[in-house]
Amino acid sequence: MTEQRWEGDTLHFTVQAMGQTIASAVTVFETNVHAVVDLPGILGLFASKVQDMIRKEAPKLLR
């Protein structure tokens, strides 16, 4: 993670991967969490894999 900031219940952060900067936001609600990951350029080809990984791994963070 290269940058992070909270705005209310939303964490905005960026990460570096494959020489690209990926902007993301995670909003925490009472009953769920909503994540938005902006995959630039060629990384968009991996969107379904990223989505699968988030669905699998994210619940571990909520324990």
Side-chain angles (χ1 to χ4, degrees):
M1 196 174 318
T2 60
E3 185 179 309
Q4 62 184 1
R5 68 178 159 56
W6 281 95
E7 289 183 9
D9 293 332
T10 302
L11 172 63
H12 298 272
F13 62 98
T14 57
V15 294
Q16 295 283 330
M18 299 175 66
Q20 300 288 317
T21 300
I22 302 168
S24 305
V26 176
T27 304
V28 180
F29 297 97
E30 241 182 84
T31 58
N32 62 357
V33 175
H34 183 257
V36 176
V37 180
D38 184 18
L39 297 174
I42 195 153
L43 291 180
L45 298 173
F46 301 100
S48 64
K49 290 184 181 189
V50 171
Q51 187 177 30
D52 291 343
M53 182 193 67
I54 290 171
R55 284 191 172 138
K56 178 183 174 192
E57 299 298 326
K60 296 175 186 177
L61 300 173
L62 300 174
R63 293 181 187 165

